[in-house]
Amino acid sequence: MFYPKSHAVIGASAEARKFGGRFLQTLINFGYRGVIYPVNPQESEVLGLKAYPSVADIPGPVDFASIAIPARAVPGVLQECVTKGVKAALILTAGFRELGEEGQRLEKEIADTAARGVRVVGPNCFGVYCPGGGMTILPGENLPRESGPVGFISQSGGYAVRVPRRADGLGIRFSKAVSYGNGCDINECDLVEYMHQDPETGIITAYLEGVKDGPRFFSLLREVCQTKPVIIWKGGLTQGGARAARSHTASLGGQEAVWEALFRQTGAIRVNNLEELLDTTLAFLHLGPLAGQRICSIGGGGGIGVAAADAWERAGLSVPVFSPELEKKLLGMIPAVGASARNPVDVGGPFPAPPMFRAVMETVCTDADVDILVVDEIEMAMAMPRGGQMFRPPEAMQEMVRVPLDIKEKFGKPVVVVMPVEAVSTAWLESEGERRKIRDLFLQNHIPVYLTKERAAKALANLTSYYQRRGMLISG
Amino acid sequence: MFYPKSHAVIGASAEARKFGGRFLQTLINFGYRGVIYPVNPQESEVLGLKAYPSVADIPGPVDFASIAIPARAVPGVLQECVTKGVKAALILTAGFRELGEEGQRLEKEIADTAARGVRVVGPNCFGVYCPGGGMTILPGENLPRESGPVGFISQSGGYAVRVPRRADGLGIRFSKAVSYGNGCDINECDLVEYMHQDPETGIITAYLEGVKDGPRFFSLLREVCQTKPVIIWKGGLTQGGARAARSHTASLGGQEAVWEALFRQTGAIRVNNLEELLDTTLAFLHLGPLAGQRICSIGGGGGIGVAAADAWERAGLSVPVFSPELEKKLLGMIPAVGASARNPVDVGGPFPAPPMFRAVMETVCTDADVDILVVDEIEMAMAMPRGGQMFRPPEAMQEMVRVPLDIKEKFGKPVVVVMPVEAVSTAWLESEGERRKIRDLFLQNHIPVYLTKERAAKALANLTSYYQRRGMLISG
């Protein structure tokens, strides 16, 4: 794999308020492993690195250039990059076609120059986060240094950093996240094609505002979706959203009906916001191929079971009825009153005794004909301090947390946990810390954790529909 | 207002594992101000209080009785309560009509006894949380002692405690929250009617699985919704959910289409889960009567604006186009590139300088013809520690937080803030603490705060539709 060994930062300065200064500092802090050449005609040194008046003055080869200078100077500098033999350039500068005619003209010049021998990401973008290559996006100096199997393509710079940042806390790691802005040269199709071939990328995700070449995008998705899931958040599908997208990246959005048809006909997965994108990614990451949509959920209350069944069925998942034999077995385990042996199972309250909880989980795994097991609003530790005490003593807590982990290991069945943030007050921050620790332990063991039933349901429906369709395509 | 001055706990014991024991302890810990009489034929003292063998043995009058004894003994004990002159009783015990024929017979007996002179809440419920009367629900010893304007009626015991507990951290306070379970005497209609007349209750919320008397419920809602909003989460609208509701409270759910018609024809507000119920309550609590649905949102990025417009319009709200004069004014304030003076406004990034942010907010308030102002994903403090530092120094942070507060005060226009939890990792718990503190400050000043645009959109759509309809009813 090609990683740039030398990187010219054109428009580098010591001022963190300027894009070029901020980007250079970010690159240094993130730990770029190649040589960095600041380019600035007014400085001989920037942030402790020798600076050069122009890219032409740099001795030796330059693999990559980042450009953060006023828009009207960009075409000339890009031509210098071509002359120097720079292989790829990133144009952070905004103020091109999203700003009207003059900007359109400048952007056309850039595209023409690119065609003469340099690949361009941007303009009007935040760049490329690629931990394997020691590269990061403009405000991404704190993003994880480890790689992972998720690729992210984003027309928005803001979301190009918000998605991996939010994902970080959920243990989702990226092969590459690319903010490509106006996409005057490298566009969404090129990036999907690249990630399709990229062995580091297993799941492709995207935030898109518009697509340059509809027919190419369509046939590409049809092909890619047969081997890798492509999860797309399409921004600007409403009237107001389309208007905003024109101001943002000068994208022509396309109508909802057209996009709906695209999703239906290609098998790409539609999500409608950042949360759905991450929730769905989490399901693909941890549960893998899964075509069945039959859910058994085990919850800590009667109302919880009612709400759960509503959530699963509204998302298109099914809640099969248990056999009389299974119901009978479960009736022997759960409390005689205030509980339910039907699906969704109600273990009688949010604090079941760990051995009973384990017996119910094991029995359901052995006897029920279901595809996914959901542990729903059962308290693993505490929801909040209770008179200064946790609800469960630490040993019992550990015993509870072990149950889903052991079940997953023993039966190899997909297990999903729904753990809402109950303790939303500032005073109970510590218990939110406990919740997060338990969440992390589940995530490390391939048990996806969701904040609400509805979010779990949407993610699981997205996952199972994709594999159902793919199975049909493969077998058909 | 009538508060019970004496309260018999029938089935009281020192064992916290038993319902009666737990309930007595909860009542004591919560700080019930009247006299408590434990009733237990085997004990002379329970938790330091003199115990009585039966309710008949208690000297002096008993206003209220809680019953937590095996189901088959309940009818007899309830009859003793009638004889004693107890005005109202709470039956915590489960195992009645939700468990089949024998349970149905027992429940019928209770209803018949109730008709002879005692009002009954339950059976199969968690009771009444009424901070003004020093009463609380079974697992509700940590619920706030202060009252507020929200009433909650719940067929689920679990949600009867989860809703006020979660609401606590959002500053939502309750007049009463009632878990009424099988509702053999006092049912959802009685409770809605009561809360309609209750001067302490301004907003009525409910989790329902079924309704005993459809026509009465319908005409009641039509009347109540003309003066107080009624927010209803109806559980069991799917096939699986309806099946679960039959196991839970033996409720016959009713079809989705019937309920849809009820919402449409009565003006009651439909919500589909706990989060929507609280989000919508927050909007009613802080924004009050508001019939206009025109949103202006001010966000920290181009993609954020696109996503925001999509969220508002999908929920049925509108995103009006600004006048050319207003756009021109805003263009003089925001950065020349990488920002947008259109609605939704993009101030160029999530960390605008406070004076610029203030100028934009003021200008929009003065010149735009909008009903609600949304501050969308603009960082008030930090999203997370950044190299050990906050993004903003504390003074700048305070300056930022002042802006929405001052604007709300100066222009009297509804302001809403969308503040996602960006720092979802365990390592960044402290920054979640910062977020919550800022959230609390906004909530204290009647600025509702939402975790996502979609949740804000749904809540605002619910609020404005209600008042639009009510305005029509009043003026028509």
Side-chain angles (χ1 to χ4, degrees), chain A residues 33-210:
Chain A
R33 291 193 308 262
V35 190
I36 302 175
Y37 300 114
V39 174
N40 185 329
Q42 267 105 55
E43 309 285 344
S44 60
E45 198 188 287
V46 179
L47 298 175
L49 297 170
K50 179 172 165 46
Y52 298 86
S54 79
V55 77
D57 298 306
I58 297 170
V62 175
D63 288 337
F64 194 93
S66 301
I67 302 174
I69 57 175
R72 65 188 176 287
V74 172
V77 159
L78 189 65
Q79 179 53 51
E80 287 179 40
C81 290
V82 174
T83 309
K84 176 73 185 171
V86 172
K87 296 182 190 77
L90 166 65
I91 303 174
L92 298 159
T93 313
F96 291 89
R97 74 180 153 108
E98 79 279 10
L99 277 198
E101 271 180 41
E102 167 65 6
Q104 276 167 28
R105 201 191 50 74
L106 280 171
E107 190 162 319
K108 175 83 172 45
E109 262 192 76
I110 291 177
D112 292 344
T113 309
R116 290 197 290 273
V118 62
R119 296 309 305 261
V120 169
V121 176
N124 187 20
C125 76
F126 278 180
V128 178
Y129 165 58
C130 173
M135 283 270 288
T136 195
I137 221 159
L138 184 52
E141 66 179 68
N142 283 320
L143 293 179
R145 268 65 172 169
E146 318 90 64
S147 291
V150 181
F152 181 47
I153 298 167
S154 178
Q155 210 156 353
S156 150
Y159 285 124
V161 69
R162 273 168 197 251
V163 165
R165 188 188 284 164
R166 188 91 69 93
D168 178 12
L170 302 170
I172 301 172
R173 295 290 179 271
F174 291 81
S175 55
K176 287 98 190 168
V178 183
S179 154
Y180 69 99
N182 296 3
C184 83
D185 175 30
I186 293 175
N187 63 30
E188 52 287 337
C189 286
D190 301 316
L191 291 165
V192 169
E193 208 163 51
Y194 169 80
M195 290 189 179
H196 184 207
Q197 289 155 8
D198 178 27
E200 276 198 335
T201 303
I203 299 164
I204 302 170
T205 62
Y207 169 80
L208 301 179
E209 293 184 355

Side-chain angles (χ1 to χ4, degrees), chain B residues 285-301:
Chain B
L285 204 54
H286 292 305
L287 302 181
L290 192 64
Q293 302 193 299
R294 294 165 305 173
I295 305 272
C296 165
S297 64
I298 296 170

